[in-house]
Amino acid sequence: MRVGVPTEIKTDEYRVSLTPAGVRELVDHGHEALVQKGAGLGSAIEDSEYEAQGARILPDAESVFGEAEMVLGVKEPQPQEVALLRPDHVLFTYLHLAPDPALTSGLVESKATCIAYETVEDTKGRLPLLAPMSEVAGKIATQAGAFMLEKPLGGRGVLLGGVPGVAAANVLVIGGGVVGFNAASIAIGMEADVFTFDRNIDRLRELDVAFGGRASTVYASTLAIEQMLPIADLVIGAVLVHGAKAPYVITREQLGLMKPNAVLVDVSIDQGGCFETSKPTTHSDPTFEVDGITHYCVANMPGAVPITSTYALTNATLPYVLALADLGVAEAIARDPGLRPGVNVAGGRVTHAAVAEGTGVEFTPLEEVLTGVRS
Ligand SMILES: NC(=O)c1ccc[n+]([C@@H]2O[C@H](COP(=O)([O-])OP(=O)(O)OC[C@H]3O[C@@H](n4cnc5c(N)ncnc54)[C@H](O)[C@@H]3O)[C@@H](O)[C@H]2O)c1
């Protein structure tokens, strides 16, 4: 199979979807890797490093999409990339479609088979292709939040860990999955007082053991959140319902319970945001203020640390890339049923129920379109 790697074009995105190690594996499996000129530069990977492993360097996105059968990405395709998709293409990248009806309809119209990293599942129902980026984003969330709490940046002017004789800041993490665990771990390391909220009691049990008494775990009822907001300095939103638009865990009205210049970090912004007042921002202009509360809502947080993120992401995606290239979509799904929920759009249909619900588009079970899916 001819596997294409276009340069990422989302604002402040420096990751790349395949490393030279991935090129080597594809070539060893008898496939061809087509890499856009300069695609790896943001992650400090030169074209010559790809070429040394057998990749062919193409001058622009048009030639990569034109020649490739499967297109690999990091962030969701931008409109000019959607325009290059064909019905025979397999697109394998992050999509985050539930909060994005416009992109969903673009992909539907393309009739390409679009597989989202973030809804591929492992045998335990976890999200193996979201997890590495959630680890990165969780760690950045606390770093960014601590920074935004500094007075010159519009924050309250409080140091997360306090000092002897002055109390530490309170950090509230809502959603104790991969992002939440990593955000809380960094906050613990910075010596803040940390409270992790979730609605899954088994998950709270696991966190309780993992934190070893260094953070509190709390059931995320509306009342418990409201009781915490008046004392929170930093709130990190990290909830997820697989594939679906994020639920609001803090409303605009509840902002009134918070201290002036407290900071909200909405990591769930890529699924539409879990605070009612959130809207996506970029690394170049990461924050805005609503009712005196700083909001940090960067939708591609791991893009800021590409040298870490590119390798963390591609370590996880490569086995799936190889399976799809070796076997085709239908057979790869037959051998690994966790790939099935990854297929969000195929043959001009939305084939993921939560995406269909989030975008208001009719849901079609994948089996009904599989015969038309590239194999
Ligand atoms: N902004 C970025 O750059 C970036 C990067 C990576 C991940 N993310 C996003 O971060 C979010 C979290 O990802 P994750 O990998 O940690 O997911 P996860 O599935 O590991 O964890 C989500 C947690 O949220 C909990 N939850 C669901 N609904 C809840 C509610 N109403 N109240 C409290 N808890 C609730 C679940 O029980 C689960 O423990 C996702 O939306 C993901 O796409 C964003």
Side-chain angles (χ1 to χ4, degrees):
M1 187 184 273
R2 287 188 302 281
V3 180
V5 180
T7 305
E8 294 295 314
I9 54 173
K10 187 168 174 137
T11 312
D12 296 324
E13 183 53 71
Y14 303 105
R15 287 170 287 180
V16 60
S17 56
L18 193 72
T19 63
V23 170
R24 172 66 176 275
E25 303 268 337
L26 280 169
V27 170
D28 284 353
H29 281 235
H31 305 295
E32 213 186 331
L34 313 168
V35 178
Q36 185 176 344
K37 187 174 176 349
L41 289 179
S43 299
I45 304 172
E46 300 284 341
D47 291 343
S48 57
E49 296 177 63
Y50 286 113
E51 278 178 311
Q53 301 308 320
R56 190 147 57 88
I57 305 295
L58 295 180
D60 48 33
E62 285 72 15
S63 25
V64 173
F65 279 76
E67 286 202 40
E69 297 162 276
M70 174 159 66
V71 177
L72 304 181
V74 178
K75 287 311 284 182
E76 67 278 3
Q78 304 300 296
Q80 57 270 52
E81 296 174 312
V82 174
L84 297 173
L85 286 170
R86 301 185 305 263
D88 60 310
H89 270 144
V90 174
L91 174 68
F92 193 34
T93 188
Y94 286 116
L95 290 174
H96 300 292
L97 294 180
D100 197 342
L103 175 58
T104 305
S105 78
L107 297 182
V108 165
E109 278 165 31
S110 79
K111 296 194 166 61
T113 302
C114 305
I115 310 177
Y117 291 159
E118 73 276 9
T119 55
V120 171
E121 294 182 2
D122 67 13
T123 49
K124 293 185 175 149
R126 295 172 306 196
L127 307 173
L129 303 187
L130 184 62
M133 295 303 93
S134 291
E135 288 162 351
V136 174
K139 291 188 173 186
I140 293 178
T142 307
Q143 276 180 204
F147 192 46
M148 294 304 163
L149 275 171
E150 292 179 15
K151 195 76 177 167
L153 288 147
R156 295 193 65 237
V158 62
L159 182 65
L160 274 200
V163 290
V166 183
N170 290 315
V171 176
L172 163 59
V173 179
I174 308 178
V178 180
V179 168
F181 171 73
N182 282 277
S185 298
I186 295 297
I188 291 167
M190 292 171 91
E191 301 184 343
D193 287 336
V194 183
F195 302 80
T196 305
F197 283 50
D198 204 291
R199 290 205 165 203
N200 178 334
I201 304 223
D202 284 333
R203 181 60 184 161
L204 291 175
R205 285 195 182 100
E206 289 169 6
L207 291 173
D208 200 50
V209 172
F211 293 148
R214 290 175 300 156
S216 300
T217 57
V218 183
Y219 184 78
S221 66
T222 303
L223 180 60
I225 291 173
E226 285 187 350
Q227 286 170 336
M228 190 69 209
L229 288 179
I231 62 160
D233 297 286
L234 169 60
V235 180
I236 295 172
V239 305
L240 175 66
V241 178
H242 292 191
K245 198 175 170 313
Y248 290 148
V249 292
I250 298 181
T251 62
R252 177 159 195 169
E253 201 184 343
Q254 288 168 329
L255 292 188
L257 298 170
M258 299 182 70
K259 299 180 203 177
N261 304 116
V263 173
L264 295 180
V265 175
D266 194 340
V267 188
S268 303
I269 191 67
D270 55 357
Q271 291 294 132
C274 65
F275 309 136
E276 188 181 8
T277 41
S278 295
K279 60 178 186 337
T281 60
T282 61
H283 288 290
S284 326
D285 190 10
T287 59
F288 59 93
E289 191 197 304
V290 179
D291 298 344
I293 306 297
T294 303
H295 290 56
Y296 174 103
C297 305
V298 176
N300 59 336
M301 293 167 73
V305 288
I307 293 176
T308 304
S309 302
T310 284
Y311 290 94
L313 176 63
T314 55
N315 287 343
T317 53
L318 184 59
Y320 293 90
V321 171
L322 289 172
L324 289 165
D326 288 348
L327 304 168
V329 175
E331 183 57 24
I333 289 174
R335 296 207 196 173
D336 177 0
L339 254 178
R340 185 184 177 286
V343 184
N344 283 201
V345 174
R349 300 285 177 168
V350 172
T351 53
H352 190 290
V355 169
E357 192 183 334
T359 52
V361 178
E362 189 193 342
F363 166 65
T364 306
L366 182 59
E367 289 64 31
E368 287 182 25
V369 283
L370 251 189
T371 45
V373 166
R374 187 189 169 82
S375 58

